[in-house]
Amino acid sequence: MPLSYSLGLSAILFAIGVGGVIVRRNAIVLFMCVELMLNAVNLAFVALSPYAGVQGQVFVFFVIAVAAAEAAVGLAIMIAVFRHRESVDMKNFSLLRW
C-alpha cells in the first residue's frame, strides 16, 4: 500500500476527530473523538515506521497506553459527574470553569 493512502486516511480520521470535538457537546462523544485522533496519529506513526525505523512502532505503544489511561480516568470523571448532574452534556459542566 502506498504511503500516501495511509497518511491520507490518517489525515481524514484526524479531521473527523477534530470536527467532532469542535461540534459535539456530549462528553462521551468528545472522548470518542479524542480517541479517534489518537488512533489517526498511531496510523501515521505505523505508516512512517519503515522510513524512520522501529521507533515509530514503539511510540505507538506509548500512545496506546496514554490513551487507555486517559479513557479510564475520563470515564471515571464522567460517571462521577453523571451521578451528580444526571447529564453528560458539556453545557451543564461548570466545575472546571472560572
Side-chain angles (χ1 to χ4, degrees):
M1 181 183 326
L3 178 63
S4 61
Y5 292 166
S6 300
L7 292 179
L9 178 63
S10 174
I12 290 170
L13 290 174
F14 193 84
I16 291 171
V18 169
V21 167
I22 291 172
V23 173
R24 301 300 300 254
R25 296 291 96 197
N26 189 332
I28 303 297
V29 175
L30 289 178
F31 278 120
M32 290 172 44
C33 290
V34 169
E35 293 293 326
L36 186 63
M37 288 190 290
L38 289 173
N39 285 327
V41 171
N42 286 340
L43 179 63
F45 279 137
V46 170
L48 292 173
S49 67
Y51 304 103
V54 74
Q55 292 91 0
Q57 294 176 357
V58 171
F59 198 71
V60 167
F61 287 117
F62 289 115
V63 171
I64 289 172
V66 169
E70 175 260 338
V73 171
L75 289 176
I77 291 171
M78 287 300 112
I79 289 172
V81 169
F82 182 77
R83 286 183 179 168
H84 290 284
R85 306 278 175 140
E86 296 188 2
S87 173
V88 290
D89 192 5
M90 295 300 287
K91 290 187 296 189
N92 299 332
F93 295 167
S94 62
L95 296 173
L96 300 178
R97 293 184 189 157
W98 54 288

